[in-house]
Amino acid sequence: MASKFSTNIETQYTKDFVKESLVVTASVVSGTYPDHASNLSNIKNDTLGYYQTVYDYPHLSQSANPLFDITWGWRPGGNLGDKGRWSTPATVDPVAGTATDVLAKNNIYNQMAALMLGYDSTGSVRVFDLSGSFDTVQANSVMNSPVFINFSRLVMKDELKAGTFELKIDPGVYVSASMTWATKLVITDDGDDLENGLKILRSRLDGTGNPMNVGILDRYRGIAVIQLSGSSISSAGISDTSVGYFVSASDSTDPGERSWNFEHSIYSGTISELSDGLRHRIQSVSVQNATQLNQTTYYVRAGASDFNYSANPSYINANSRIRVLLDSDGNIIDKKAYAYVTGIGLYSADGELLAVAKISKPVKKDSSSPLTIGVKLTY
Amino acid sequence: MSFLTNATTVVDAILTDEGRKRLAAGNFDISKFSLHDDEIVYDKAQMSGYAAKFAATPIFESITENTKALKYNLLTLGLETTHLASTLIVTQPSQGGQSQATGDNTGYYVALARQQAYDNNYSSVTLPTGFMKAYEKSLISENSNSWIYIDHGSNDDDQKGPYKYNENLPSELSETEVLIKLDRRIGRIVMPNSDGVDLSPVSIDDDYIATYLITAAPDSDTSAFFEAIQQDADASPIAGARGLRLRIPVYASPDINVSSTSIWTSLGRIITNFFNGSDNAHAIDTVMSVEGMTTSLNVTVPLRFVKGV
């Protein structure tokens, strides 16, 4: 029986990853565009003040893509290292998280911890800890005031590739666009592997020396949690008290000028102000992302006696003679019929064309041999 | 380390719009394949150096429109043959066909989509050649002079071909299952001699192209679309052995058989001096594709639906 279709298909499923490297430099994070008060800025504060977003172009531009968000947390009941709370405040927790929510940093901390770490057996949210043990508060390693860098889906794709995160920051004063970078802390995810794709982030001064744990990276959620300061990591972070002007430049022309050191900033600064302080210390952020591709390859097999003729109208002349069997005068000569393949159609059982593939160069099909073509669909 | 085999070519495929729709609906399942040669023009086979010419044929990229992504199938036949079936529209009334229109409408069958167009222009004169009263499906269904006829078979000269007109066409070349595709907004197909019973499409795609399947099996509801051809030399435009003749009544869709002009404006155009050389007409040109399920039967029928302005 004549036919235009065959069911001789073998299916193979495979998985692959496509990787992509991205580097975001200081010129994007804090240098090239005006600050977020301007409509031309590539920085945009959340309308409620809970986070700040860094774009690659001015955020009102149609070309703008979000790169990452910055937000800050404060562990409820935490303290400011061994320095005590700033100016012996009346309340336990820091103030001024956002304009309307003085406990915004507490709430952010709990939200992030619940998402990344979950709850312990008592129903309490686990705590971020530099040791990688999240179930108890350990005075020397608990992260009381971490910054969260949340990479956008565009940047992280399906996941961040392990061992590719690198953040370079200047631990000194607030760096204006006109200033040069001083020493830098290089933070990488070369620490221990933890549960559920978490990794310990470690910092080295100028990229050398003994590393010190400074945070946690969640590769699958694209979130870096970093404790920039604290007595336990003072040699690998930002000084709690000795570096002033954490959230603003020491510049009288800056209307937001504040001489607060890190500790004071953590206590009194808004999330927006703290995010400004971090951005103006970032020299670069680089990651490599990975996208998972699922592929199905359909091996379609045409036997030697299959598909050697064509329904192409040019395949026959006006006299119904098969052209590939004719000489230049139109006489039938002794040859095998053949046809050329330039496309493959994959169909459902009810005959609907679901996928199509084209071959870059025509492939001859005749009765001398079978033909197998792999048709690859990528999802 | 073994050598890589070059016996298997691997190519990338894309989903068609129908494929994406089914993937989203969770019923994406590949069960068969076809091979195609849309870019190949086989006239080259009779030229010197034809192999190199075939190999150098530029190939188009894939497109996602499922009705247009692939056009011409390769065939598997159970016999070795020097001839395949040609497909011709039967345009000679003496052969039982219907003439196509002439003049500015040459090559078309012209379908009057509104009775008003007939009453205003042709009620007192003979309907021009190739014109049909397509506004009334029962009329079309019962009037065999308004049907479109398609023959297929071996068209070789008299006694030269292997399959003579007074012989049966081999079953490998004879078509008994046919797909008809027609824009459902413009035209519909009605069962022959049924007093206007619509033929139901098997599917309607996202571009409103309805696909109809008709089969010649005696117990099929659609066998009325087929008829045998006399084994006389002059009974068909096909010179040699013939398969079953197709007869397809087409009428104007209710979507265009309306006084409103909006669909006519969006899908068609105005032809000036169309009726009797003086009155303008709204016109929508379309095609009806007729394709055999298993053989080389393949023809495109141009249709022009008109109504008065």
Side-chain angles (χ1 to χ4, degrees):
Chain A
M1 169 105 184
S3 176
K4 292 181 174 179
F5 299 95
S6 170
T7 56
N8 194 354
I9 302 177
E10 195 172 291
T11 306
Q12 185 180 73
Y13 301 98
T14 55
K15 187 169 77 172
D16 200 0
F17 288 91
V18 171
K19 299 177 179 67
E20 181 181 43
S21 294
L22 294 105
V23 179
V24 184
T25 62
S27 62
V28 172
V29 179
S30 63
T32 299
Y33 299 107
D35 228 332
H36 49 74
S38 166
N39 279 340
L40 297 177
S41 176
N42 68 323
I43 309 299
K44 187 173 185 303
N45 281 328
D46 168 45
T47 50
L48 296 177
Y50 283 95
Y51 59 90
Q52 185 178 81
T53 304
V54 178
Y55 290 81
D56 54 355
Y57 286 102
H59 65 85
L60 290 179
S61 163
Q62 289 187 341
S63 305
N65 299 296
L67 298 176
F68 54 84
D69 300 325
I70 304 171
T71 187
W72 292 75
W74 172 262
R75 185 177 69 82
N79 62 48
L80 293 169
D82 58 0
K83 308 296 185 200
R85 298 188 185 89
W86 183 253
S87 299
T88 58
T91 58
V92 173
D93 295 313
V95 298
T98 70
T100 57
D101 183 1
V102 295
L103 296 178
K105 284 177 279 193
N106 289 10
N107 293 332
I108 288 288
Y109 187 98
N110 284 338
Q111 179 180 344
M112 290 295 189
L115 180 72
M116 294 173 61
L117 308 177
Y119 294 83
D120 64 17
S121 58
T122 68
S124 302
V125 70
R126 299 165 86 194
V127 294
F128 290 107
D129 194 287
L130 298 174
S131 70
S133 177
F134 308 126
D135 288 320
T136 56
V137 176
Q138 302 174 81
N140 290 331
S141 56
V142 69
M143 299 166 69
N144 281 325
S145 52
V147 58
F148 299 93
I149 300 175
N150 300 8
F151 291 100
S152 70
R153 166 93 177 112
L154 185 73
V155 170
M156 67 166 287
K157 297 292 175 63
D158 290 351
E159 64 184 76
L160 297 177
K161 187 186 173 194
T164 65
F165 175 88
E166 184 182 81
L167 169 66
K168 293 179 180 174
I169 62 173
D170 186 334
V173 297
Y174 188 102
V175 181
S176 301
S178 59
M179 295 172 66
T180 55
W181 299 97
T183 56
K184 59 179 178 290
L185 295 173
V186 180
I187 300 173
T188 58
D189 64 328
D190 62 347
D192 293 341
D193 285 308
L194 305 175
E195 61 197 49
N196 297 326
L198 302 182
K199 286 203 77 175
I200 292 285
L201 291 170
R202 302 198 299 180
S203 170
R204 293 174 176 84
L205 194 60
D206 283 328
T208 60
N210 290 329
M212 188 160 282
N213 293 3
V214 293
I216 309 291
L217 177 70
D218 186 334
R219 293 195 299 113
Y220 296 124
R221 293 188 175 86
I223 302 174
V225 189
I226 301 170
Q227 182 67 42
L228 280 175
S229 182
S231 59
S232 64
I233 58 165
S234 58
S235 63
I238 295 174
S239 168
D240 284 342
T241 57
S242 63
V243 177
Y245 295 97
F246 180 76
V247 297
S248 70
S250 56
D251 181 349
S252 59
T253 61
D254 182 349
E257 178 188 2
R258 283 175 175 158
S259 62
W260 300 343
N261 60 26
F262 181 83
E263 195 171 81
H264 189 172
S265 302
I266 285 294
Y267 189 82
S268 304
T270 63
I271 289 174
S272 169
E273 290 170 329
L274 289 165
S275 300
D276 289 345
L278 174 66
R279 281 192 302 104
H280 283 267
R281 287 173 171 80
I282 292 178
Q283 291 187 32
S284 68
V285 186
S286 62
V287 292
Q288 198 176 93
N289 62 35
T291 305
Q292 180 178 318
L293 300 179
N294 294 303
Q295 294 170 337
T296 307
T297 304
Y298 300 91
Y299 289 98
V300 301
R301 302 184 193 284
S305 60
D306 299 337
F307 297 111
N308 297 325
Y309 298 88
S310 173
N312 187 320
S314 72
Y315 195 67
I316 54 177
N317 66 11
N319 300 116
S320 305
R321 296 178 183 176
I322 296 173
R323 286 187 194 275
V324 300
L325 302 180
L326 303 180
D327 64 15
S328 58
D329 295 324
N331 299 311
I332 297 169
I333 53 177
D334 186 22
K335 287 164 70 174
K336 284 180 182 172
Y338 62 87
Y340 279 91
V341 183
T342 65
I344 302 118
L346 301 177
Y347 294 80
S348 62
D350 61 351
E352 287 290 350
L353 179 62
L354 303 184
V356 58
K358 300 302 287 283
I359 303 174
S360 60
K361 190 175 181 180
V363 175
K364 188 178 181 181
K365 177 70 185 73
D366 62 23
S367 59
S368 64
S369 60
L371 175 67
T372 299
I373 300 173
V375 183
K376 189 168 65 179
L377 262 178
T378 303
Y379 306 96
Chain B
M1 183 186 296
S2 63
F3 291 108
L4 288 173
T5 176
N6 61 358
T8 303
T9 302
V10 177
V11 293
D12 287 318
I14 61 169
L15 294 174
T16 63
D17 46 6
E18 182 67 24
R20 288 196 293 249
K21 180 180 164 189
R22 293 199 179 203
L23 194 64
N27 59 351
F28 183 88
D29 187 23
I30 303 285
S31 66
K32 56 186 176 181
F33 74 94
S34 61
L35 302 179
H36 297 258
D37 59 357
D38 301 353
E39 292 87 351
I40 302 295
V41 178
Y42 284 96
D43 301 32
K44 294 174 185 172
Q46 293 173 258
M47 301 175 183
S48 62
Y50 62 87
K53 287 184 169 64
F54 277 127
T57 305
I59 309 298
F60 296 112
E61 290 182 319
S62 304
I63 60 171
T64 58
E65 170 53 53
N66 63 313
T67 59
K68 297 180 175 62
L70 295 168
K71 196 169 175 70
Y72 302 122
N73 291 66
L74 266 57
L75 299 173
T76 298
L77 296 181
L79 79 170
E80 287 199 11
T81 180
T82 56
H83 289 61
L84 293 182
S86 297
T87 311
L88 295 174
I89 300 172
V90 187
T91 59
Q92 295 296 325
S94 62
Q95 295 174 333
Q98 185 191 176
S99 301
Q100 290 173 306
T102 57
D104 292 339
N105 300 306
T106 296
Y108 285 96
Y109 286 110
V110 178
L112 301 177
R114 296 279 289 163
Q115 182 164 1
Q116 194 176 30
Y118 175 80
D119 292 344
N120 291 348
N121 301 288
Y122 305 115
S123 59
S124 59
V125 297
T126 304
L127 204 59
T129 298
F131 279 48
M132 303 182 291
K133 299 175 189 174
Y135 47 83
E136 178 56 59
K137 64 179 179 179
S138 59
L139 207 60
I140 286 285
S141 167
E142 297 295 332
N143 182 5
S144 60
N145 291 330
S146 296
W147 300 347
I148 294 165
Y149 296 89
I150 296 165
D151 283 358
H152 70 287
S154 173
N155 197 35
D156 213 344
D157 299 342
D158 196 8
Q159 298 303 310
K160 290 183 182 174
Y163 315 119
K164 313 294 188 294
Y165 66 81
N166 55 357
E167 299 173 351
N168 291 328
L169 189 67
S171 61
E172 290 288 305
L173 307 183
S174 183
E175 190 57 78
T176 57
E177 291 183 310
V178 174
L179 287 177
I180 304 171
K181 296 187 177 183
L182 182 61
D183 191 322
R184 190 163 173 78
R185 297 168 299 177
I186 302 171
R188 305 277 173 92
I189 295 174
V190 66
M191 305 282 283
N193 297 320
S194 67
D195 196 25
V197 175
D198 278 308
L199 175 65
S200 299
V202 290
S203 67
I204 302 170
D205 79 358
D206 56 322
D207 299 309
Y208 309 103
I209 304 298
T211 299
Y212 304 88
L213 174 64
I214 56 175
T215 60
D219 58 346
S220 163
D221 294 340
T222 57
S223 60
F225 285 92
F226 297 84
E227 67 178 355
I229 306 172
Q230 294 287 325
Q231 290 186 337
D232 296 334
D234 298 327
S236 166
I238 299 291
R242 301 114 185 190
L244 294 173
R245 170 170 289 176
L246 284 170
R247 45 188 198 170
I248 307 172
V250 177
Y251 72 97
S253 162
D255 296 333
I256 63 169
N257 190 353
V258 290
S259 57
S260 163
T261 59
S262 60
I263 189 170
W264 290 88
T265 305
S266 61
L267 298 180
R269 61 198 170 102
I270 288 178
I271 300 179
T272 55
N273 304 327
F274 182 87
F275 294 114
N276 301 319
S278 58
D279 293 339
N280 297 345
H282 284 288
I284 301 174
D285 292 344
T286 188
V287 293
M288 177 173 67
S289 299
V290 181
E291 183 185 347
M293 285 286 283
T294 62
T295 70
S296 57
L297 189 154
N298 193 325
V299 70
T300 300
V301 182
L303 300 171
R304 173 168 289 166
F305 291 82
V306 296
K307 77 164 195 167
V309 172

